Amino acid sequence: MRPDGPGIILLLYSLVLTRGLAMVQRDADFPTPLIGTNGYCAQELVNLLLVGRAHSNVFDGEKTVGGDDGCGDGARLRGIPRKAPVGFLTLFERQGQAGHPLLVVGKNLKKPLAPVYVVQSESHYSCLWVEGPSPPDLSAADGEAAVGADDGEEEDEEEAAMEGGPDCAFDVSYFDQMAERDEAVRLTIRRRPPSVPVPECSTALPPLENVILTRWPGGEVDWNGEEIIL
C-alpha cells in the first residue's frame, strides 16, 4: 500500500460494507458520523474495527438509561457484547474528577482473547502488545481504588487466579507511529511496592503510563533506559 494511496478509505469502505450500511446505522445509540470533528475516528468506527459492531460505548454488554419515572422504557445503550479478539485502552479513563473518570472500559476490551491493545492517547492511536500468553493481572493494593474500576464489580475466581505475586514483572512492546522511530519500545511492568500509591493526578505521569494503569493498576512502568514517549 502506498503511503499516499487510498488505503485508509478502502479499509473504511470494506468495514462498512461487510457489516452493511443499515446495520452500521442501527448499531450506534444515536445517528453519528464515523469520522468526527477534525477528522478524528469516532468510537463507533473503533468498535467496528475491533469487534465488527459499530456500537457507541466501551463498557460490557448493554445499559438502560432513564425510564425510571414510568414515562417510557428508557434509552438502550450498547457496548461490547463479548470478549474482543484484541483490546482497547484509553487515556480518558484517567481523566475527569477523582473517582469519576470520563469513561470506563469494560473487561471485554481490557482482557481480550489476545494481549494486543489499541491505545487511545492524546490525539491519536497507537499499539501495545505482549509477546506470548496473556500476562497476569496487577490489581490495586488493598484499600487503594482501582483506576477506572466499575462500582460494585467483583473479582471472579478466574481473575483471582491470574493475579500476579509481589515479584511479578513482564515485558510489553509499544509502537507509536508518531514517535519518529521505526522500532517498538520494550517496557517492563512490575508490581508497584505497597508504599508507593497511584498518583491521583493524571498529569503526574506520562500519558502512556496513565493508560497502562487502567489495565494494570497495581503496576509501575520501567522504560528500560528508553526515551519516554510523551
Side-chain angles (χ1 to χ4, degrees):
M1 184 175 67
R2 303 196 320 270
D4 59 344
I8 298 298
I9 296 300
L10 293 177
L11 174 61
L12 176 59
Y13 287 170
S14 176
L15 287 166
V16 172
L17 294 177
T18 298
R19 178 61 174 155
L21 292 172
M23 290 303 299
V24 168
Q25 292 176 329
R26 293 175 189 170
D27 283 343
D29 293 339
F30 306 99
T32 182
L34 296 179
I35 304 296
T37 305
N38 298 321
Y40 288 165
C41 183
Q43 190 62 46
E44 287 82 0
L45 180 52
V46 175
N47 289 344
L48 185 61
L49 276 161
L50 295 178
V51 299
R53 300 290 183 272
H55 292 174
S56 300
N57 306 285
V58 293
F59 52 69
D60 293 342
E62 298 182 354
K63 294 183 179 181
T64 300
V65 178
D68 298 333
D69 56 0
C71 299
D73 297 328
R76 184 180 66 165
L77 308 180
R78 284 178 287 191
I80 308 303
R82 63 187 66 85
K83 184 170 287 194
V86 299
F88 175 77
L89 304 173
T90 175
L91 183 61
F92 287 140
E93 194 163 336
R94 284 281 283 167
Q95 296 176 336
Q97 298 179 352
H100 300 281
L102 297 179
L103 58 80
V104 176
V105 178
K107 293 179 182 178
N108 287 338
L109 286 175
K110 273 189 182 171
K111 300 183 179 182
L113 296 174
V116 178
Y117 297 90
V118 172
V119 173
Q120 181 186 33
S121 178
E122 300 300 329
S123 60
H124 67 287
Y125 297 87
S126 50
C127 186
L128 181 146
W129 68 95
V130 178
E131 296 183 8
S134 296
D137 294 333
L138 296 177
S139 300
D142 292 341
E144 190 175 69
V147 179
D150 286 321
D151 293 338
E153 187 175 87
E154 297 182 357
E155 183 180 57
D156 58 30
E157 293 182 1
E158 181 180 355
E159 290 176 324
M162 284 291 293
E163 181 64 32
D167 298 324
C168 177
F170 54 90
D171 289 343
V172 301
S173 297
Y174 176 71
F175 181 75
D176 185 344
Q177 70 277 13
M178 297 184 67
E180 297 183 352
R181 54 182 300 155
D182 296 328
E183 298 179 353
V185 176
R186 181 181 64 85
L187 309 175
T188 300
I189 301 177
R190 295 186 175 88
R191 166 73 70 182
R192 188 179 65 257
S195 59
V196 180
V198 178
E200 293 185 2
C201 179
S202 64
T203 58
L205 293 173
L208 179 59
E209 292 190 30
N210 276 296
V211 173
I212 288 174
L213 281 177
T214 68
R215 174 59 182 87
W216 295 284
E220 60 181 4
V221 179
D222 183 350
W223 288 79
N224 296 315
E226 296 279 0
E227 182 179 354
I228 294 177
I229 298 175
L230 299 176

PDB file of all heavy atoms in Angstrom, residues 140-178:
ATOM      1  N   ALA A 140      -4.938  -3.169  42.083  1.00  0.00           N
ATOM      2  CA  ALA A 140      -4.525  -2.159  43.048  1.00  0.00           C
ATOM      3  C   ALA A 140      -4.379  -2.799  44.419  1.00  0.00           C
ATOM      4  O   ALA A 140      -5.022  -3.805  44.739  1.00  0.00           O
ATOM      5  CB  ALA A 140      -5.548  -1.028  43.092  1.00  0.00           C
ATOM      6  N   ALA A 141      -3.515  -2.224  45.241  1.00  0.00           N
ATOM      7  CA  ALA A 141      -3.294  -2.740  46.585  1.00  0.00           C
ATOM      8  C   ALA A 141      -4.558  -2.607  47.422  1.00  0.00           C
ATOM      9  O   ALA A 141      -5.442  -1.800  47.133  1.00  0.00           O
ATOM     10  CB  ALA A 141      -2.136  -1.989  47.250  1.00  0.00           C
ATOM     11  N   ASP A 142      -4.659  -3.418  48.470  1.00  0.00           N
ATOM     12  CA  ASP A 142      -5.813  -3.356  49.366  1.00  0.00           C
ATOM     13  C   ASP A 142      -5.997  -1.943  49.895  1.00  0.00           C
ATOM     14  O   ASP A 142      -5.044  -1.293  50.331  1.00  0.00           O
ATOM     15  CB  ASP A 142      -5.633  -4.316  50.540  1.00  0.00           C
ATOM     16  CG  ASP A 142      -5.675  -5.773  50.097  1.00  0.00           C
ATOM     17  OD1 ASP A 142      -6.194  -6.029  48.997  1.00  0.00           O
ATOM     18  OD2 ASP A 142      -5.188  -6.633  50.846  1.00  0.00           O
ATOM     19  N   GLY A 143      -7.237  -1.472  49.849  1.00  0.00           N
ATOM     20  CA  GLY A 143      -7.532  -0.136  50.344  1.00  0.00           C
ATOM     21  C   GLY A 143      -7.262   0.956  49.342  1.00  0.00           C
ATOM     22  O   GLY A 143      -7.476   2.125  49.613  1.00  0.00           O
ATOM     23  N   GLU A 144      -6.800   0.573  48.147  1.00  0.00           N
ATOM     24  CA  GLU A 144      -6.471   1.543  47.113  1.00  0.00           C
ATOM     25  C   GLU A 144      -7.466   1.392  45.977  1.00  0.00           C
ATOM     26  O   GLU A 144      -7.715   0.286  45.501  1.00  0.00           O
ATOM     27  CB  GLU A 144      -5.048   1.278  46.616  1.00  0.00           C
ATOM     28  CG  GLU A 144      -4.467   2.334  45.723  1.00  0.00           C
ATOM     29  CD  GLU A 144      -3.016   2.012  45.406  1.00  0.00           C
ATOM     30  OE1 GLU A 144      -2.762   1.036  44.688  1.00  0.00           O
ATOM     31  OE2 GLU A 144      -2.142   2.738  45.894  1.00  0.00           O
ATOM     32  N   ALA A 145      -8.052   2.473  45.551  1.00  0.00           N
ATOM     33  CA  ALA A 145      -9.062   2.411  44.498  1.00  0.00           C
ATOM     34  C   ALA A 145      -8.416   2.023  43.180  1.00  0.00           C
ATOM     35  O   ALA A 145      -7.397   2.583  42.786  1.00  0.00           O
ATOM     36  CB  ALA A 145      -9.760   3.760  44.357  1.00  0.00           C
ATOM     37  N   ALA A 146      -8.998   1.050  42.506  1.00  0.00           N
ATOM     38  CA  ALA A 146      -8.501   0.657  41.195  1.00  0.00           C
ATOM     39  C   ALA A 146      -8.811   1.747  40.186  1.00  0.00           C
ATOM     40  O   ALA A 146      -9.859   2.379  40.234  1.00  0.00           O
ATOM     41  CB  ALA A 146      -9.132  -0.662  40.760  1.00  0.00           C
ATOM     42  N   VAL A 147      -7.890   1.971  39.274  1.00  0.00           N
ATOM     43  CA  VAL A 147      -8.070   3.003  38.260  1.00  0.00           C
ATOM     44  C   VAL A 147      -9.202   2.613  37.333  1.00  0.00           C
ATOM     45  O   VAL A 147      -9.155   1.587  36.662  1.00  0.00           O
ATOM     46  CB  VAL A 147      -6.774   3.188  37.453  1.00  0.00           C
ATOM     47  CG1 VAL A 147      -6.967   4.239  36.378  1.00  0.00           C
ATOM     48  CG2 VAL A 147      -5.629   3.563  38.374  1.00  0.00           C
ATOM     49  N   GLY A 148     -10.270   3.418  37.315  1.00  0.00           N
ATOM     50  CA  GLY A 148     -11.368   3.167  36.399  1.00  0.00           C
ATOM     51  C   GLY A 148     -12.206   1.954  36.721  1.00  0.00           C
ATOM     52  O   GLY A 148     -12.937   1.473  35.870  1.00  0.00           O
ATOM     53  N   ALA A 149     -12.127   1.424  37.947  1.00  0.00           N
ATOM     54  CA  ALA A 149     -12.877   0.217  38.280  1.00  0.00           C
ATOM     55  C   ALA A 149     -14.369   0.505  38.303  1.00  0.00           C
ATOM     56  O   ALA A 149     -14.810   1.559  38.739  1.00  0.00           O
ATOM     57  CB  ALA A 149     -12.435  -0.317  39.641  1.00  0.00           C
ATOM     58  N   ASP A 150     -15.159  -0.456  37.818  1.00  0.00           N
ATOM     59  CA  ASP A 150     -16.605  -0.316  37.865  1.00  0.00           C
ATOM     60  C   ASP A 150     -17.088  -0.450  39.296  1.00  0.00           C
ATOM     61  O   ASP A 150     -16.619  -1.303  40.051  1.00  0.00           O
ATOM     62  CB  ASP A 150     -17.279  -1.404  37.017  1.00  0.00           C
ATOM     63  CG  ASP A 150     -17.129  -1.125  35.536  1.00  0.00           C
ATOM     64  OD1 ASP A 150     -17.229   0.046  35.152  1.00  0.00           O
ATOM     65  OD2 ASP A 150     -16.920  -2.080  34.773  1.00  0.00           O
ATOM     66  N   ASP A 151     -18.043   0.388  39.689  1.00  0.00           N
ATOM     67  CA  ASP A 151     -18.610   0.299  41.022  1.00  0.00           C
ATOM     68  C   ASP A 151     -19.316  -1.034  41.194  1.00  0.00           C
ATOM     69  O   ASP A 151     -20.128  -1.439  40.373  1.00  0.00           O
ATOM     70  CB  ASP A 151     -19.610   1.442  41.255  1.00  0.00           C
ATOM     71  CG  ASP A 151     -18.912   2.786  41.295  1.00  0.00           C
ATOM     72  OD1 ASP A 151     -17.701   2.813  41.570  1.00  0.00           O
ATOM     73  OD2 ASP A 151     -19.586   3.794  41.046  1.00  0.00           O
ATOM     74  N   GLY A 152     -19.000  -1.728  42.282  1.00  0.00           N
ATOM     75  CA  GLY A 152     -19.672  -2.978  42.575  1.00  0.00           C
ATOM     76  C   GLY A 152     -19.171  -4.160  41.772  1.00  0.00           C
ATOM     77  O   GLY A 152     -19.694  -5.260  41.880  1.00  0.00           O
ATOM     78  N   GLU A 153     -18.139  -3.990  40.969  1.00  0.00           N
ATOM     79  CA  GLU A 153     -17.626  -5.083  40.157  1.00  0.00           C
ATOM     80  C   GLU A 153     -16.790  -6.004  41.026  1.00  0.00           C
ATOM     81  O   GLU A 153     -15.861  -5.587  41.699  1.00  0.00           O
ATOM     82  CB  GLU A 153     -16.781  -4.516  39.017  1.00  0.00           C
ATOM     83  CG  GLU A 153     -16.350  -5.563  38.012  1.00  0.00           C
ATOM     84  CD  GLU A 153     -15.615  -4.934  36.847  1.00  0.00           C
ATOM     85  OE1 GLU A 153     -14.385  -4.767  36.960  1.00  0.00           O
ATOM     86  OE2 GLU A 153     -16.264  -4.606  35.850  1.00  0.00           O
ATOM     87  N   GLU A 154     -17.115  -7.283  41.030  1.00  0.00           N
ATOM     88  CA  GLU A 154     -16.423  -8.233  41.868  1.00  0.00           C
ATOM     89  C   GLU A 154     -15.459  -9.072  41.039  1.00  0.00           C
ATOM     90  O   GLU A 154     -15.693  -9.363  39.877  1.00  0.00           O
ATOM     91  CB  GLU A 154     -17.431  -9.147  42.578  1.00  0.00           C
ATOM     92  CG  GLU A 154     -18.361  -8.394  43.534  1.00  0.00           C
ATOM     93  CD  GLU A 154     -19.308  -9.333  44.235  1.00  0.00           C
ATOM     94  OE1 GLU A 154     -19.270 -10.549  43.922  1.00  0.00           O
ATOM     95  OE2 GLU A 154     -20.081  -8.867  45.086  1.00  0.00           O
ATOM     96  N   GLU A 155     -14.393  -9.488  41.692  1.00  0.00           N
ATOM     97  CA  GLU A 155     -13.393 -10.314  41.034  1.00  0.00           C
ATOM     98  C   GLU A 155     -13.855 -11.762  41.061  1.00  0.00           C
ATOM     99  O   GLU A 155     -14.236 -12.289  42.105  1.00  0.00           O
ATOM    100  CB  GLU A 155     -12.058 -10.154  41.767  1.00  0.00           C
ATOM    101  CG  GLU A 155     -10.910 -10.913  41.135  1.00  0.00           C
ATOM    102  CD  GLU A 155      -9.619 -10.721  41.903  1.00  0.00           C
ATOM    103  OE1 GLU A 155      -9.606 -11.020  43.108  1.00  0.00           O
ATOM    104  OE2 GLU A 155      -8.633 -10.281  41.304  1.00  0.00           O
ATOM    105  N   ASP A 156     -13.848 -12.433  39.908  1.00  0.00           N
ATOM    106  CA  ASP A 156     -14.255 -13.826  39.884  1.00  0.00           C
ATOM    107  C   ASP A 156     -13.046 -14.725  40.123  1.00  0.00           C
ATOM    108  O   ASP A 156     -11.910 -14.272  40.234  1.00  0.00           O
ATOM    109  CB  ASP A 156     -14.969 -14.169  38.575  1.00  0.00           C
ATOM    110  CG  ASP A 156     -14.103 -13.892  37.350  1.00  0.00           C
ATOM    111  OD1 ASP A 156     -12.863 -13.988  37.454  1.00  0.00           O
ATOM    112  OD2 ASP A 156     -14.666 -13.586  36.285  1.00  0.00           O
ATOM    113  N   GLU A 157     -13.291 -16.040  40.222  1.00  0.00           N
ATOM    114  CA  GLU A 157     -12.222 -16.983  40.557  1.00  0.00           C
ATOM    115  C   GLU A 157     -11.141 -17.009  39.490  1.00  0.00           C
ATOM    116  O   GLU A 157      -9.952 -17.121  39.788  1.00  0.00           O
ATOM    117  CB  GLU A 157     -12.823 -18.376  40.751  1.00  0.00           C
ATOM    118  CG  GLU A 157     -13.740 -18.481  41.965  1.00  0.00           C
ATOM    119  CD  GLU A 157     -14.270 -19.888  42.141  1.00  0.00           C
ATOM    120  OE1 GLU A 157     -13.904 -20.762  41.317  1.00  0.00           O
ATOM    121  OE2 GLU A 157     -15.033 -20.114  43.087  1.00  0.00           O
ATOM    122  N   GLU A 158     -11.544 -16.917  38.218  1.00  0.00           N
ATOM    123  CA  GLU A 158     -10.563 -16.936  37.137  1.00  0.00           C
ATOM    124  C   GLU A 158      -9.640 -15.733  37.225  1.00  0.00           C
ATOM    125  O   GLU A 158      -8.425 -15.847  37.044  1.00  0.00           O
ATOM    126  CB  GLU A 158     -11.280 -16.948  35.788  1.00  0.00           C
ATOM    127  CG  GLU A 158     -10.332 -17.000  34.595  1.00  0.00           C
ATOM    128  CD  GLU A 158     -11.075 -17.014  33.275  1.00  0.00           C
ATOM    129  OE1 GLU A 158     -12.317 -17.081  33.293  1.00  0.00           O
ATOM    130  OE2 GLU A 158     -10.406 -16.960  32.231  1.00  0.00           O
ATOM    131  N   GLU A 159     -10.193 -14.563  37.537  1.00  0.00           N
ATOM    132  CA  GLU A 159      -9.370 -13.362  37.651  1.00  0.00           C
ATOM    133  C   GLU A 159      -8.441 -13.450  38.852  1.00  0.00           C
ATOM    134  O   GLU A 159      -7.291 -13.016  38.802  1.00  0.00           O
ATOM    135  CB  GLU A 159     -10.267 -12.133  37.765  1.00  0.00           C
ATOM    136  CG  GLU A 159     -10.992 -11.805  36.472  1.00  0.00           C
ATOM    137  CD  GLU A 159     -11.946 -10.649  36.658  1.00  0.00           C
ATOM    138  OE1 GLU A 159     -12.549 -10.563  37.740  1.00  0.00           O
ATOM    139  OE2 GLU A 159     -12.083  -9.848  35.737  1.00  0.00           O
ATOM    140  N   ALA A 160      -8.936 -14.003  39.958  1.00  0.00           N
ATOM    141  CA  ALA A 160      -8.100 -14.144  41.144  1.00  0.00           C
ATOM    142  C   ALA A 160      -6.898 -15.037  40.855  1.00  0.00           C
ATOM    143  O   ALA A 160      -5.786 -14.794  41.342  1.00  0.00           O
ATOM    144  CB  ALA A 160      -8.925 -14.708  42.297  1.00  0.00           C
ATOM    145  N   ALA A 161      -7.109 -16.071  40.043  1.00  0.00           N
ATOM    146  CA  ALA A 161      -6.014 -16.973  39.696  1.00  0.00           C
ATOM    147  C   ALA A 161      -4.985 -16.291  38.804  1.00  0.00           C
ATOM    148  O   ALA A 161      -3.819 -16.699  38.766  1.00  0.00           O
ATOM    149  CB  ALA A 161      -6.568 -18.215  39.001  1.00  0.00           C
ATOM    150  N   MET A 162      -5.398 -15.251  38.079  1.00  0.00           N
ATOM    151  CA  MET A 162      -4.488 -14.536  37.182  1.00  0.00           C
ATOM    152  C   MET A 162      -3.697 -13.445  37.894  1.00  0.00           C
ATOM    153  O   MET A 162      -2.835 -12.814  37.300  1.00  0.00           O
ATOM    154  CB  MET A 162      -5.288 -13.907  36.037  1.00  0.00           C
ATOM    155  CG  MET A 162      -5.750 -14.882  34.974  1.00  0.00           C
ATOM    156  SD  MET A 162      -4.359 -15.503  34.012  1.00  0.00           S
ATOM    157  CE  MET A 162      -3.850 -14.004  33.162  1.00  0.00           C
ATOM    158  N   GLU A 163      -3.973 -13.203  39.152  1.00  0.00           N
ATOM    159  CA  GLU A 163      -3.321 -12.115  39.869  1.00  0.00           C
ATOM    160  C   GLU A 163      -1.838 -12.412  40.076  1.00  0.00           C
ATOM    161  O   GLU A 163      -1.463 -13.494  40.534  1.00  0.00           O
ATOM    162  CB  GLU A 163      -4.002 -11.899  41.218  1.00  0.00           C
ATOM    163  CG  GLU A 163      -3.420 -10.762  42.032  1.00  0.00           C
ATOM    164  CD  GLU A 163      -3.602  -9.411  41.349  1.00  0.00           C
ATOM    165  OE1 GLU A 163      -4.612  -9.235  40.646  1.00  0.00           O
ATOM    166  OE2 GLU A 163      -2.729  -8.554  41.519  1.00  0.00           O
ATOM    167  N   GLY A 164      -0.987 -11.451  39.731  1.00  0.00           N
ATOM    168  CA  GLY A 164       0.449 -11.631  39.877  1.00  0.00           C
ATOM    169  C   GLY A 164       0.906 -11.442  41.313  1.00  0.00           C
ATOM    170  O   GLY A 164       0.283 -10.728  42.099  1.00  0.00           O
ATOM    171  N   GLY A 165       2.008 -12.093  41.679  1.00  0.00           N
ATOM    172  CA  GLY A 165       2.553 -12.001  43.026  1.00  0.00           C
ATOM    173  C   GLY A 165       3.359 -10.730  43.238  1.00  0.00           C
ATOM    174  O   GLY A 165       3.479  -9.880  42.351  1.00  0.00           O
ATOM    175  N   PRO A 166       3.964 -10.586  44.430  1.00  0.00           N
ATOM    176  CA  PRO A 166       4.698  -9.358  44.764  1.00  0.00           C
ATOM    177  C   PRO A 166       5.925  -9.118  43.893  1.00  0.00           C
ATOM    178  O   PRO A 166       6.368  -7.980  43.747  1.00  0.00           O
ATOM    179  CB  PRO A 166       5.073  -9.563  46.235  1.00  0.00           C
ATOM    180  CG  PRO A 166       5.005 -11.043  46.447  1.00  0.00           C
ATOM    181  CD  PRO A 166       3.920 -11.536  45.555  1.00  0.00           C
ATOM    182  N   ASP A 167       6.498 -10.181  43.333  1.00  0.00           N
ATOM    183  CA  ASP A 167       7.690 -10.037  42.490  1.00  0.00           C
ATOM    184  C   ASP A 167       7.358 -10.136  41.004  1.00  0.00           C
ATOM    185  O   ASP A 167       8.252 -10.325  40.174  1.00  0.00           O
ATOM    186  CB  ASP A 167       8.719 -11.111  42.851  1.00  0.00           C
ATOM    187  CG  ASP A 167       9.194 -10.995  44.294  1.00  0.00           C
ATOM    188  OD1 ASP A 167       9.326  -9.852  44.775  1.00  0.00           O
ATOM    189  OD2 ASP A 167       9.412 -12.037  44.933  1.00  0.00           O
ATOM    190  N   CYS A 168       6.096  -9.999  40.674  1.00  0.00           N
ATOM    191  CA  CYS A 168       5.663 -10.160  39.287  1.00  0.00           C
ATOM    192  C   CYS A 168       6.239  -9.056  38.397  1.00  0.00           C
ATOM    193  O   CYS A 168       6.261  -7.880  38.763  1.00  0.00           O
ATOM    194  CB  CYS A 168       4.139 -10.140  39.225  1.00  0.00           C
ATOM    195  SG  CYS A 168       3.474 -10.246  37.554  1.00  0.00           S
ATOM    196  N   ALA A 169       6.715  -9.442  37.217  1.00  0.00           N
ATOM    197  CA  ALA A 169       7.209  -8.489  36.219  1.00  0.00           C
ATOM    198  C   ALA A 169       7.079  -9.127  34.845  1.00  0.00           C
ATOM    199  O   ALA A 169       7.251 -10.341  34.690  1.00  0.00           O
ATOM    200  CB  ALA A 169       8.659  -8.110  36.497  1.00  0.00           C
ATOM    201  N   PHE A 170       6.757  -8.326  33.851  1.00  0.00           N
ATOM    202  CA  PHE A 170       6.658  -8.826  32.484  1.00  0.00           C
ATOM    203  C   PHE A 170       6.907  -7.675  31.524  1.00  0.00           C
ATOM    204  O   PHE A 170       6.779  -6.498  31.879  1.00  0.00           O
ATOM    205  CB  PHE A 170       5.285  -9.464  32.218  1.00  0.00           C
ATOM    206  CG  PHE A 170       4.118  -8.573  32.531  1.00  0.00           C
ATOM    207  CD1 PHE A 170       3.585  -7.721  31.570  1.00  0.00           C
ATOM    208  CD2 PHE A 170       3.546  -8.579  33.793  1.00  0.00           C
ATOM    209  CE1 PHE A 170       2.516  -6.892  31.861  1.00  0.00           C
ATOM    210  CE2 PHE A 170       2.466  -7.756  34.094  1.00  0.00           C
ATOM    211  CZ  PHE A 170       1.951  -6.913  33.130  1.00  0.00           C
ATOM    212  N   ASP A 171       7.280  -8.017  30.297  1.00  0.00           N
ATOM    213  CA  ASP A 171       7.582  -7.018  29.277  1.00  0.00           C
ATOM    214  C   ASP A 171       6.388  -6.819  28.349  1.00  0.00           C
ATOM    215  O   ASP A 171       5.648  -7.761  28.046  1.00  0.00           O
ATOM    216  CB  ASP A 171       8.788  -7.446  28.439  1.00  0.00           C
ATOM    217  CG  ASP A 171      10.089  -7.378  29.220  1.00  0.00           C
ATOM    218  OD1 ASP A 171      10.121  -6.708  30.268  1.00  0.00           O
ATOM    219  OD2 ASP A 171      11.074  -8.007  28.781  1.00  0.00           O
ATOM    220  N   VAL A 172       6.222  -5.585  27.908  1.00  0.00           N
ATOM    221  CA  VAL A 172       5.254  -5.257  26.869  1.00  0.00           C
ATOM    222  C   VAL A 172       5.985  -4.474  25.788  1.00  0.00           C
ATOM    223  O   VAL A 172       7.010  -3.836  26.051  1.00  0.00           O
ATOM    224  CB  VAL A 172       4.063  -4.431  27.417  1.00  0.00           C
ATOM    225  CG1 VAL A 172       3.336  -5.187  28.514  1.00  0.00           C
ATOM    226  CG2 VAL A 172       4.526  -3.072  27.926  1.00  0.00           C
ATOM    227  N   SER A 173       5.479  -4.543  24.583  1.00  0.00           N
ATOM    228  CA  SER A 173       6.044  -3.779  23.472  1.00  0.00           C
ATOM    229  C   SER A 173       5.062  -2.686  23.084  1.00  0.00           C
ATOM    230  O   SER A 173       3.840  -2.891  23.124  1.00  0.00           O
ATOM    231  CB  SER A 173       6.314  -4.689  22.273  1.00  0.00           C
ATOM    232  OG  SER A 173       7.289  -5.672  22.596  1.00  0.00           O
ATOM    233  N   TYR A 174       5.598  -1.545  22.707  1.00  0.00           N
ATOM    234  CA  TYR A 174       4.743  -0.406  22.364  1.00  0.00           C
ATOM    235  C   TYR A 174       5.281   0.262  21.109  1.00  0.00           C
ATOM    236  O   TYR A 174       6.482   0.532  20.991  1.00  0.00           O
ATOM    237  CB  TYR A 174       4.711   0.601  23.512  1.00  0.00           C
ATOM    238  CG  TYR A 174       3.925   1.852  23.204  1.00  0.00           C
ATOM    239  CD1 TYR A 174       2.541   1.818  23.108  1.00  0.00           C
ATOM    240  CD2 TYR A 174       4.569   3.074  23.005  1.00  0.00           C
ATOM    241  CE1 TYR A 174       1.809   2.961  22.815  1.00  0.00           C
ATOM    242  CE2 TYR A 174       3.849   4.221  22.720  1.00  0.00           C
ATOM    243  CZ  TYR A 174       2.472   4.159  22.627  1.00  0.00           C
ATOM    244  OH  TYR A 174       1.759   5.292  22.339  1.00  0.00           O
ATOM    245  N   PHE A 175       4.371   0.523  20.175  1.00  0.00           N
ATOM    246  CA  PHE A 175       4.758   1.215  18.946  1.00  0.00           C
ATOM    247  C   PHE A 175       3.838   2.398  18.717  1.00  0.00           C
ATOM    248  O   PHE A 175       2.612   2.262  18.734  1.00  0.00           O
ATOM    249  CB  PHE A 175       4.691   0.281  17.735  1.00  0.00           C
ATOM    250  CG  PHE A 175       5.108   0.950  16.453  1.00  0.00           C
ATOM    251  CD1 PHE A 175       6.444   1.200  16.196  1.00  0.00           C
ATOM    252  CD2 PHE A 175       4.167   1.356  15.520  1.00  0.00           C
ATOM    253  CE1 PHE A 175       6.838   1.836  15.023  1.00  0.00           C
ATOM    254  CE2 PHE A 175       4.548   1.991  14.348  1.00  0.00           C
ATOM    255  CZ  PHE A 175       5.889   2.233  14.101  1.00  0.00           C
ATOM    256  N   ASP A 176       4.457   3.547  18.518  1.00  0.00           N
ATOM    257  CA  ASP A 176       3.729   4.782  18.232  1.00  0.00           C
ATOM    258  C   ASP A 176       4.263   5.329  16.915  1.00  0.00           C
ATOM    259  O   ASP A 176       5.425   5.738  16.826  1.00  0.00           O
ATOM    260  CB  ASP A 176       3.945   5.789  19.363  1.00  0.00           C
ATOM    261  CG  ASP A 176       3.117   7.059  19.191  1.00  0.00           C
ATOM    262  OD1 ASP A 176       2.619   7.308  18.075  1.00  0.00           O
ATOM    263  OD2 ASP A 176       2.969   7.807  20.173  1.00  0.00           O
ATOM    264  N   GLN A 177       3.424   5.323  15.903  1.00  0.00           N
ATOM    265  CA  GLN A 177       3.864   5.735  14.574  1.00  0.00           C
ATOM    266  C   GLN A 177       4.215   7.210  14.502  1.00  0.00           C
ATOM    267  O   GLN A 177       4.849   7.658  13.542  1.00  0.00           O
ATOM    268  CB  GLN A 177       2.782   5.405  13.533  1.00  0.00           C
ATOM    269  CG  GLN A 177       1.523   6.251  13.630  1.00  0.00           C
ATOM    270  CD  GLN A 177       0.544   5.740  14.664  1.00  0.00           C
ATOM    271  OE1 GLN A 177       0.878   4.891  15.485  1.00  0.00           O
ATOM    272  NE2 GLN A 177      -0.671   6.255  14.627  1.00  0.00           N
ATOM    273  N   MET A 178       3.848   7.983  15.536  1.00  0.00           N
ATOM    274  CA  MET A 178       4.152   9.409  15.541  1.00  0.00           C
ATOM    275  C   MET A 178       5.349   9.740  16.433  1.00  0.00           C
ATOM    276  O   MET A 178       5.642  10.910  16.674  1.00  0.00           O
ATOM    277  CB  MET A 178       2.920  10.202  15.994  1.00  0.00           C
ATOM    278  CG  MET A 178       1.734  10.059  15.056  1.00  0.00           C
ATOM    279  SD  MET A 178       0.322  11.091  15.526  1.00  0.00           S
ATOM    280  CE  MET A 178       0.994  12.738  15.223  1.00  0.00           C
TER     281      MET A 178
END
